[in-house]
């Protein structure tokens, strides 16, 4: 179904307004409270659901189903990405009052990158049908990588390529003071003794953006496995990303408990990979070869996410109970972020968390 220009313009305009609200809300450095994070997370999810309902009534059941399936896949991958964001913010010891600014830049960068990749992906698919097979094999490889690297130690993000590039070509003013109220508090650039340069916070943003680039390599083939409608691909990505900043602060205390999420995502990505290959075989080789309907994809995605969430919570609850029975301290947070050193992460924060920073081959090497 062809989407008229006015619908594209109205949608992009609405997304720009939402990003503008996010920028306005994060204009002053402050620590995001649980209540604030919950409120904005609910708002963004509600907006995404309302948009999906509008699609159901205006574009039909098929388009609406594709949107919700794509939104769930992208949202799940976004939650998975939060593990890496937690590692980055912790390793660079980003103060809590500046974390939402860094994440906001990450969301904006991800939106721009996804839009570019979607345009490229749509053009390639329309010209070469065989790209479905390439996407499918890539997703299956990504799934295998997720499982193989589950539980590995986190990569030191100070060694990230983006850090090396910034330090090589731009002056970094290291002593920019992290104390609230200072003139350079939260700034990305500064001028010291008449020399322009960037602050350490700029380096963190650069690392986040570099990771966003690699994340797009997973998410775009995955969403094209659900639908080939560029409008649905773009909107599902956009609405999944818009609430990511608030979602981080809502889930940061629970990230360490989602221990089976990588397994669930691996299964979903492998499933979509098979779906893409079958789609190519059905349309270009032999119509007798079955294809996986969108409704079944939605059912599989929802069921998988529900199962891994339940098993994760049960597993960590049992582990916590055993630790308490053994006299351990079950009140220690898994991810300690704040004004302390970069080493302030325990448990999942430094182990399971960056399972996903190494996933998809060389994700965190970009």
């Amino acid at each position: 179904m062809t989407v008229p220009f006015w619908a594209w313009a109205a949608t992009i305009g609405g997304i720009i307004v939402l990003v503008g609200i996010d920028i306005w809300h994060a204009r002053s450095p402050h620590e995001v409270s649980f209540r604030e994070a919950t409120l904005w997370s609910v708002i963004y999810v509600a907006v995404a659901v309302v948009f999906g309902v509008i699609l159901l009534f205006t574009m039909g059941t098929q388009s609406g189903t594709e949107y919700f399936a794509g939104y769930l896949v992208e949202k799940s991958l976004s939650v998975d990405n939060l593990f890496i964001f937690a590692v980055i913010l912790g390793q660079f010891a980003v103060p809590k009052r500046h974390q939402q600014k860094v994440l906001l830049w990450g969301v904006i960068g991800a939106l721009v990158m996804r839009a570019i990749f979607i345009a490229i992906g749509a053009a390639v698919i329309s010209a070469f049908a065989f790209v479905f097979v390439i996407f499918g094999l890539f997703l299956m490889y990504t799934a295998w990588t997720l499982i193989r690297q589950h539980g590995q130690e986190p990569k030191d993000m100070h060694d990230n390529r983006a850090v090396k590039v910034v330090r090589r070509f731009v002056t970094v003013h290291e002593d920019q003071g992290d104390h609230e109220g200072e003139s350079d508090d939260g700034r990305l650039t500064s001028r010291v003794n008449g020399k322009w340069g960037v602050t350490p916070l700029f380096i963190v943003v650069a690392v986040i953006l570099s990771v966003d680039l690699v994340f797009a390599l997973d998410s775009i083939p995955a969403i094209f496995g659900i639908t080939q409608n560029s409008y649905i691909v773009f909107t599902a990505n956009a609405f999944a990303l818009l609430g990511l900043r608030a979602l981080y602060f809502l889930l940061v205390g629970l990230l360490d408990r989602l221990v089976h999420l990588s397994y669930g995502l691996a299964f979903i990505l492998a499933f979509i990979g098979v779906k893409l290959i079958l789609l190519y075989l059905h349309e270009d080789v032999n119509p007798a070869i079955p294809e996986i309907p969108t409704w079944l994809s939605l059912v599989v995605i929802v069921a998988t996410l529900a199962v891994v969430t339940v098993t994760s919570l049960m597993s960590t609850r049992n582990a916590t109970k055993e630790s308490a029975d053994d006299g351990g301290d079950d009140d220690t947070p898994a991810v300690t972020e704040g004004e302390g050193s970069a080493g302030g992460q325990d448990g999942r924060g430094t182990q399971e968390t960056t399972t996903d920073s190494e996933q998809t081959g060389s994700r965190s090497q970009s």
Side-chain angles (χ1 to χ4, degrees), residues 123-141:
V124 171
I125 288 174
S126 63
F128 308 101
F130 188 73
V131 77
F132 281 130
V133 177
I134 298 175
F135 279 179
L137 292 175
F138 176 75
L139 290 176
M140 294 170 72
Y141 170 76

Side-chain angles (χ1 to χ4, degrees), residues 157-190:
M157 301 307 290
H158 292 85
D159 221 16
N160 183 276
R161 191 173 302 169
V163 177
K164 297 177 180 177
V165 170
V166 171
R167 290 190 178 279
R168 180 175 180 180
F169 294 102
V170 184
T171 300
V172 180
H173 298 308
E174 301 285 358
D175 300 325
Q176 286 304 305
D178 290 330
H179 301 292
E180 194 170 358
E182 292 191 9
S183 58
D184 289 330
D185 187 44
R187 293 182 59 182
L188 301 181
T189 62
S190 65

Side-chain angles (χ1 to χ4, degrees), residues 307-320:
V307 168
V308 297
T309 299
V310 172
T311 58
S312 292
L313 295 178
M314 291 178 61
S315 175
T316 52
R317 183 181 63 181
N318 292 336
T320 301

Side-chain angles (χ1 to χ4, degrees), residues 92-113:
F92 285 91
V94 178
K96 288 184 177 180
R97 65 184 181 281
H98 296 323
Q99 289 179 4
Q100 67 166 337
K101 182 174 185 177
V102 172
L103 294 172
L104 178 59
W105 275 106
V107 170
I108 294 173
L111 282 170
V112 174
M113 293 177 193

Side-chain angles (χ1 to χ4, degrees), residues 39-113:
L39 174 63
W40 284 101
S41 294
V42 170
I43 289 175
Y44 279 118
V45 170
V47 170
V49 171
V50 169
F51 180 82
V53 173
I54 292 174
L55 283 186
L56 280 171
F57 284 100
T58 58
M59 295 178 63
T61 304
Q62 176 70 16
S63 295
T65 304
E66 290 177 351
Y67 166 80
F68 280 112
Y71 173 77
L72 283 176
V73 169
E74 295 302 321
K75 201 66 173 180
S76 303
L77 290 171
S78 296
V79 172
D80 194 45
N81 298 345
L82 294 181
F83 291 124
I84 296 88
F85 292 163
V87 168
I88 294 172
L89 295 175
Q91 288 188 353
F92 285 91
V94 178
K96 288 184 177 180
R97 65 184 181 281
H98 296 323
Q99 289 179 4
Q100 67 166 337
K101 182 174 185 177
V102 172
L103 294 172
L104 178 59
W105 275 106
V107 170
I108 294 173
L111 282 170
V112 174
M113 293 177 193

Side-chain angles (χ1 to χ4, degrees), residues 265-277:
L265 289 177
F267 177 78
I268 290 173
L269 291 178
F271 173 81
I272 296 175
V274 172
K275 183 178 186 295
L276 278 169
I277 295 175

